[in-house]
């Protein structure tokens, strides 16, 4: 592996302009393809294999679009919620006139299909204090014109001036979070960290340039293939975020190794070859672990997660290819500019340090920290594990769910509309259950549906059952069931399971069967499916990564340590998420206005992302330690040497990642805030506690046993020279060529 990548790096160095032009052409081609391709479809969240999804599919099959009782319109919808002044009713003449005026104005707006009169639709509470008007749009929420939104807000304001409390539920007026500013903040922070790390504008700019090229090609390719492959526009978000983060990290490790080899006395082309052969080998295997973690999301069985995982995995693979080809090409263009100022001064004076590997080297903060850990490995290990264990304790109380208007801040009109509907019509009104009754095999379908509705309405916890809405054939009906409890209440979940458990008896009595669906049931089914897939997913990705690291390090204990450390950091991150977003700890400091359940897909997405990033740090750090050990250093000294060479770069990479993810904590959308906080916490725990503290402590305790494996296994596992041992031997045996020749320039005698 190292020898092949060494040759690839030297080739890219010599053919630098050709390589650069090829990548620029690829970027232009992907950009042109993305502009010419049809627009990607809007995201559609489905949960194959669940009852709620089967019910939705049956509705799509039996109820043609636009028919009575059919599924919701393709366009956006909203609810205008009216509350009468205290002591009055909406049925009073003046209040009724004000309500009808607002509804008529909204119904006449462009892009509005209809605004139902609450008095004619029976949408007034029994006490007359609350009413709502359902508004249907001909376009999706993201396509509603700003002028229409302004006119809607003005109509609502006029209703308020008439003395009513008027709120708007749904997503029409919700502010859509934008990631552009946060991505810019991440890039700026990355630039500052790189500049501090390398003390060179060229060295700091090179990783940013290559990462942006890789992300640009990846994002444009996803957009170009979106329509053909059915990818939603949302799939590019995760791909761009991870592609940018790993692209910077991978290029940074190769540039750092190039600078190190130049300081040791190698000429530019040799240094580029060794950098790609050694650090590039780590990049390839680190990238493979990220790809495994992301592509493994397909085993969950949720199409949205599969699309996101595969798109991000493809972008990461592209970042690896950019790192091992474009980075050495740019090093060929700027062979001296990326070096530290002291190295450039030495080169101008003609000074040439001796080529030597290993040795003590100059101590730095990383080597000093490693010496401290190596001297006291057991106390350091126990303190670090105990600290993460305490932080992970709240994860035992993890409550999965899906946030809606009820989890938004009370300052939003959506939340106030939600609360008003709950007060006027009961807590279960905001989460009705959709019952699809299939009476196709019944002798009298209408009688069977009526009896099914009667028995469903008699179940404890059901407040009301709507009149059935039949399809054209008259053999299938939709019922809306209002529970007595809030959608997030455990009793609502119990009611859904009770209805499903009672189905055989009702089917036997009526000859018709039914399925329970609706947003509340779909959320519960989604929670159960994600929880059921989490363990198989972990087993798959951790197992594959264990085998991969077994090949890389030729050790059983090192991959086992890596996997256990990853699990510890993920549990700690989940514990922090639960403490903040579910329990409300430090909620005010982070701008969390409403606590509630953790988004059901968030843990498994976080596991996939953090797994790949954790293995990145593991490969980069431990590879340098093993390289020093293979060069003859004692286990303890090898740990110190590995930290001296890689700790600073690993910490810089972690800081960049944490900064990128932390930018999303400031977003108003609760779910995005949650994901940003969870990922930032996970990287903080994994990179700075697990990899920088627990890893050296465990390796110090294991000693030479860390780098051994049973003989029978050693004969089976293929040998892959990730550390570049062959390259080191070749360096020592081959005299250095003149620098001009190394750069591919003509040599003047």
């Amino acid at each position: 592996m190292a020898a092949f990548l060494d040759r690839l790096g030297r080739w890219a160095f010599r053919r630098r302009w050709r390589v650069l032009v090829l990548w620029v052409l690829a970027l232009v081609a992907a950009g042109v393809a993305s502009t010419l391709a049809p627009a990607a479809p809007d995201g559609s969240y489905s949960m194959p294999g669940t009852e709620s999804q089967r019910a939705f599919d049956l509705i799509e099959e039996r109820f043609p679009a636009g028919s009575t009782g059919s599924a919701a319109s393709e366009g956006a919808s909203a609810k205008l919620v009216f509350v009468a002044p205290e002591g009055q009713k909406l049925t009073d003449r003046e209040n009724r006139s004000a309500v009808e005026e607002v509804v008529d104005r909204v119904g006449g707006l462009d892009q509005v299909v209809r605004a139902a009169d609450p008095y004619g639709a029976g949408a007034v509470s029994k006490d007359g204090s609350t009413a709502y008007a359902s508004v249907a749009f001909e376009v999706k929420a993201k396509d509603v014109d700003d002028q229409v939104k302004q006119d809607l807000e003005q109509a609502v304001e006029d209703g308020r001036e008439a003395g009513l409390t008027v709120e708007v539920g749904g997503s029409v007026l919700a502010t859509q979070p934008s990631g552009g500013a946060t991505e810019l903040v991440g890039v700026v922070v990355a630039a500052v960290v790189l500049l501090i790390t390398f003390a060179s504008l060229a060295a700091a700019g090179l990783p940013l340039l290559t990462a942006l090229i890789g992300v640009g090609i990846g994002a444009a390719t996803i957009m170009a293939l979106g329509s053909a492959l059915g990818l939603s526009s949302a799939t590019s978000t995760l791909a761009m975020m991870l592609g940018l983060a790993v692209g910077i990290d991978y290029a940074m490790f190769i540039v750092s190794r190039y600078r190190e080899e130049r300081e040791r006395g190698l000429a530019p082309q040799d240094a580029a070859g060794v950098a790609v052969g050694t650090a590039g080998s780590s990049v390839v295997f680190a990238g493979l672990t990220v790809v495994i973690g992301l592509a493994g999301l397909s085993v969950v069985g949720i199409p949205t997660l599969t699309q996101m995982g595969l798109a991000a995995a493809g972008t990461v693979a592209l970042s690896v290819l950019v790192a091992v080809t474009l980075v050495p090409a740019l090093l060929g263009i700027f062979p001296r500019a990326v070096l530290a100022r002291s190295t450039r001064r030495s080169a101008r004076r003609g000074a040439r340090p001796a080529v030597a590997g290993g040795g003590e080297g100059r101590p730095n903060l990383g080597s000093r920290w490693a010496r401290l850990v190596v001297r006291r490995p057991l106390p350091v290990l126990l303190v670090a594990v105990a600290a993460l264990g305490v932080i992970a304790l709240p994860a035992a109380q993890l409550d999965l769910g899906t946030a809606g208007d009820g989890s938004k801040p009370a300052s939003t009109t959506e939340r106030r509309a939600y609360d008003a509907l709950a007060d006027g019509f009961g807590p279960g009104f905001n989460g009705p259950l959709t019952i699809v009754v299939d009476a196709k095999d019944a002798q009298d379908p209408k009688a069977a549906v009526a009896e099914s509705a009667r028995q469903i309405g008699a179940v404890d916890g059901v407040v009301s059952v709507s009149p059935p809405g039949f399809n054209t054939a008259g053999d299938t009906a939709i019922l809306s069931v209002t529970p007595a409890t809030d959608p997030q209440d455990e009793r609502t979940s119990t009611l859904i399971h009770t209805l499903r458990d009672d189905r055989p008896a009702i089917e036997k009595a009526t000859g018709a069967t039914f399925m329970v669906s609706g947003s509340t049931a779909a959320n519960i089914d989604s929670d159960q499916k994600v929880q059921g897939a989490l363990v198989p997913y972990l087993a798959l990705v951790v197992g594959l990564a264990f085998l991969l690291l077994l090949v890389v390090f030729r050790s059983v204990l090192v991959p086992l340590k890596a996997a256990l450390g990853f699990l510890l950091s993920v549990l700690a991150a989940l514990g922090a998420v639960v403490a903040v977003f579910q329990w409300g700890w430090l909620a005010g400091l982070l701008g969390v206005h409403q606590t509630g359940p953790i988004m059901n897909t968030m843990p498994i997405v976080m596991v996939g992302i953090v797994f790949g990033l954790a293995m990145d740090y593991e490969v980069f750090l431990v590879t340098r330690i093993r390289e020093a050990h293979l060069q003859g250093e004692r286990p303890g000294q090898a740990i110190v040497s590995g930290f001296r060479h890689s700790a600073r770069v690993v910490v810089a990479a972690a800081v960049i990642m944490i900064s990128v993810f932390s930018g999303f904590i400031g977003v108003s959308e609760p779910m995005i805030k949650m994901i940003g906080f969870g990922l930032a916490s996970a990287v903080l725990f994994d990179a700075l506690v697990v990899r920088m503290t627990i890893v050296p402590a465990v390796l110090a305790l294991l000693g030479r046993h860390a780098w051994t494996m049973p003989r029978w296994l050693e004969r089976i596992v293929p040998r892959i020279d990730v550390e570049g041992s062959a390259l080191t031997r070749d360096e020592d045996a081959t005299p250095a060529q003149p620098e001009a020749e190394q750069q591919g320039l003509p040599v003047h005698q």
Side-chain angles (χ1 to χ4, degrees):
M1 172 66 74
F4 168 75
L5 290 176
D6 175 80
R7 292 193 297 271
L8 179 62
R10 292 171 186 270
W11 175 84
F13 188 97
R14 292 193 303 270
R15 303 290 186 266
R16 44 192 169 274
W17 292 109
R18 183 182 303 176
V19 173
L20 177 60
V21 169
L22 287 175
W23 278 112
V24 171
L25 288 176
L27 177 61
V28 172
V32 171
S34 66
T35 58
L36 297 179
D42 290 321
S44 58
Y45 189 80
S46 62
M47 192 69 58
T50 62
E51 178 171 325
S52 56
Q53 184 63 43
R54 291 196 299 271
F56 179 79
D57 293 341
L58 183 62
I59 293 175
E60 292 289 294
E61 175 188 342
R62 301 280 178 90
F63 292 84
S67 65
T68 302
S70 66
S73 168
E74 289 295 322
S77 62
K79 273 190 172 68
L80 300 178
V81 182
F82 302 90
V83 180
E86 187 174 356
Q88 300 182 25
K89 295 183 179 182
L90 292 176
T91 53
D92 296 343
R93 188 181 64 177
E94 291 185 1
N95 290 335
R96 176 166 182 162
S97 176
V99 169
E100 291 176 340
E101 182 177 349
V102 172
V103 173
D104 289 343
R105 285 186 58 184
V106 173
L109 296 178
D110 291 339
Q111 299 182 321
V112 172
V113 177
R114 67 179 180 277
D117 177 17
Y119 301 98
V124 181
S125 62
K126 292 181 180 179
D127 61 3
S129 65
T130 310
Y132 67 90
S134 297
V135 182
F137 292 79
E138 62 184 6
V139 296
K140 298 182 183 299
K142 66 182 182 65
D143 297 322
V144 176
D145 291 342
D146 291 338
Q147 185 60 50
V148 173
K149 294 181 181 180
Q150 293 176 10
D151 293 342
L152 173 60
E153 290 174 333
Q154 185 59 52
V156 168
E157 189 60 34
D158 291 345
R160 291 169 179 167
E161 291 178 358
L164 303 176
T165 297
V166 187
E167 306 295 347
V168 183
S171 60
V172 172
L173 295 182
T175 301
Q176 298 298 322
S178 174
T182 58
E183 292 167 9
L184 180 60
V185 170
V187 172
V188 171
V189 172
V192 173
V193 172
L194 288 168
L195 189 58
I196 295 173
T197 303
F198 289 136
S200 165
L201 285 174
L206 192 150
L208 288 174
L209 176 61
T210 56
L212 290 174
I213 290 176
V215 168
I217 296 174
T221 302
I222 292 172
M223 293 175 62
L225 298 176
S227 178
L229 300 181
L231 303 177
S232 67
S233 57
T235 57
S236 62
T237 303
L238 179 62
M240 291 179 63
M241 183 171 62
L242 285 182
L244 182 63
V246 301
I248 294 173
D249 283 1
Y250 294 165
M252 183 169 60
F253 276 95
I254 293 177
V255 172
S256 177
R257 187 59 183 258
Y258 171 82
R259 285 159 52 101
E260 181 184 328
E261 297 303 327
R262 288 298 305 274
E263 290 175 1
R264 292 176 57 228
L266 291 187
Q269 184 175 305
D270 287 336
V274 172
V276 177
T278 53
S281 295
S282 299
V283 164
V284 169
F285 281 97
L288 282 176
T289 60
V290 179
V291 169
I292 288 173
L294 293 171
L297 288 172
S298 58
V299 306
V300 180
I302 301 176
T304 301
L305 292 185
T306 299
Q307 292 176 356
M308 292 173 62
L310 292 179
T315 305
V316 170
L318 185 63
S319 298
V320 172
L321 188 58
V322 168
V324 298
T325 56
L326 183 57
V327 170
L330 292 178
L331 289 175
I333 297 173
F334 306 105
R336 294 167 58 87
V338 298
L339 302 179
R341 185 175 302 175
S342 59
T343 305
R344 294 199 299 269
R345 283 199 301 263
S346 298
R348 283 196 297 268
R349 291 195 303 265
R352 187 179 179 87
V355 177
E360 289 288 331
R362 293 190 302 271
N364 56 22
L365 186 60
S367 61
R368 294 190 189 99
W369 170 251
R371 288 185 188 280
L372 174 65
V373 175
V374 169
R375 282 199 299 268
R376 299 287 187 270
L378 188 57
V380 170
L381 175 63
L382 293 177
V383 170
V385 171
L388 291 181
V390 170
I391 298 174
L393 287 177
Q397 304 298 320
L398 179 66
D399 180 21
L400 296 180
T402 302
D405 287 347
S407 65
K408 292 183 177 180
S411 59
T412 63
T413 185
E414 297 88 0
R415 171 62 186 277
R416 294 195 297 268
Y418 181 95
D419 292 341
L421 289 172
D423 293 339
F425 296 91
F429 182 82
N430 286 303
L433 307 180
T434 300
I435 307 292
V436 186
V437 183
D438 185 359
K440 192 173 185 178
D441 297 330
Q443 293 182 351
D444 187 347
K446 291 191 176 182
V449 169
E451 179 61 20
S452 297
R454 187 191 68 78
Q455 295 199 28
I456 290 172
V459 175
D460 187 30
V462 173
V463 173
S464 63
V465 180
S466 70
F470 283 91
N471 64 342
T472 305
D475 58 7
T476 308
I478 295 178
L479 308 173
S480 181
V481 174
T482 302
T485 51
D486 185 87
Q488 303 297 341
D489 196 306
E490 185 63 30
R491 289 171 292 181
T492 305
S493 176
T494 301
L495 171 62
I496 292 173
H497 292 300
T498 299
L499 289 172
R500 290 171 174 174
D501 291 341
D502 292 348
R503 179 165 43 212
I506 297 176
E507 181 179 359
K508 184 177 181 180
T510 64
T513 187
F514 65 87
M515 290 181 285
V516 183
S517 185
S519 60
T520 304
N523 292 339
I524 293 172
D525 290 345
S526 175
D527 297 345
Q528 294 177 342
K529 181 160 188 175
V530 171
Q531 290 176 358
L534 186 58
V535 172
Y537 172 70
L538 277 174
L540 173 67
V541 297
V542 173
L544 290 177
F546 180 88
L547 295 177
L548 186 64
L549 295 180
L550 181 72
V551 174
V552 173
F553 297 123
R554 300 191 65 78
S555 165
V556 175
L557 296 178
V558 170
L560 181 61
K561 166 195 62 61
L564 294 177
F566 153 72
L567 293 175
L568 189 59
S569 61
V570 165
L571 289 175
L574 286 175
V577 169
V578 170
V580 173
F581 291 89
Q582 192 173 308
W583 293 358
W585 293 6
L586 301 178
L589 181 63
L590 296 174
V592 179
H593 303 287
Q594 178 72 22
T595 59
I598 306 303
M599 185 175 64
N600 50 31
T601 56
M602 185 266 184
I604 202 163
V605 171
M606 190 178 78
V607 166
I609 296 173
V610 175
F611 171 78
L613 301 181
M615 295 303 105
D616 270 6
Y617 301 134
E618 177 77 12
V619 171
F620 289 136
L621 184 63
V622 179
T623 296
R624 293 308 300 264
I625 297 174
R626 186 169 188 267
E627 179 180 343
H629 178 67
L630 292 178
Q631 292 176 358
E633 295 187 15
R634 300 186 309 276
Q637 184 56 43
I639 295 172
V640 175
S641 296
F643 268 67
R644 184 176 66 250
H645 292 303
S646 59
R648 184 180 184 186
V649 183
V650 168
V651 171
V655 170
I656 291 172
M657 293 250 186
I658 292 171
S659 301
V660 172
F661 296 143
S662 295
F664 290 90
I665 299 176
V667 176
S668 60
E669 175 62 39
M671 292 302 101
I672 296 180
K673 186 188 297 285
M674 187 185 301
I675 292 175
F677 176 80
L679 293 178
S681 301
V683 173
L684 174 67
F685 297 143
D686 193 89
L688 302 185
V689 180
V690 174
R691 308 304 155 188
M692 302 301 294
T693 304
I694 293 178
V695 165
V698 172
L699 291 178
L701 291 172
L702 293 176
R704 296 186 182 277
H705 297 292
W707 312 111
T708 60
M709 65 170 57
R711 289 186 177 180
W712 64 269
L713 186 59
E714 191 170 0
R715 290 193 296 268
I716 299 174
V717 175
R719 292 185 177 274
I720 299 179
D721 183 19
V722 178
E723 296 80 12
S725 301
L727 303 182
T728 304
R729 290 194 297 271
D730 292 342
E731 285 176 31
D732 297 337
T734 304
Q737 296 174 300
E739 183 168 322
E741 184 177 341
Q742 290 288 336
Q743 295 185 50
L745 301 175
V747 180
H748 301 285
Q749 301 295 334

